[in-house]
Amino acid sequence: MRIRSLLVAGGVLAAGTMGVFTTATSAQAASRSSICGGILEGMYCLYYNSGQKGGATGVAQNVPNWGNYNGTGLPMNFADWGLGTAGVGQSVKNNAASWANTANKSGVSYFNSNYGGAYDVGAPNSKGQLVNTYNENASFRFR
């Protein structure tokens, strides 16, 4: 169900060929995937509500503008990952409150599109609240 939700949320897993997924032992993979609610490691997840609740989305690539995800002209929307229905169907742009990161590198949420303005850094294999970009997140990239 979660993988299907990711596909509905913008074809994110189809991007798995971009080489950002990492190899880990079974224990490491289980630990990392539990950070983003059981999805594959190597993803940066955003949630509609604080505390990694509500609608969610995950990416394994940089996103210069959540409102024009991957150049499609369509916004990336929050999907139902079984963490509550608040925000499901809403655009990720300017609507995220918390994050989780299963990647081996930091993920950065930016206030403006094209990686500008204030930002929040999500350390590898951790989760937290957006502070500088709370409900004002317009782009994302890995460091």
Side-chain angles (χ1 to χ4, degrees), residues 36-78:
C36 270
I39 67 163
L40 298 173
E41 65 179 286
M43 303 287 282
Y44 183 87
C45 308
L46 286 171
Y47 301 85
Y48 185 78
N49 285 338
S50 298
Q52 296 73 43
K53 302 289 183 198
T57 195
V59 293
Q61 64 190 34
N62 296 340
V63 180
N65 182 352
W66 285 111
N68 183 15
Y69 177 69
N70 207 19
T72 62
L74 301 172
M76 177 71 138
N77 294 330
F78 288 110

Side-chain angles (χ1 to χ4, degrees), residues 84 101 120 127 129:
N101 185 5
D120 288 297
K127 57 187 171 182
Q129 301 300 117

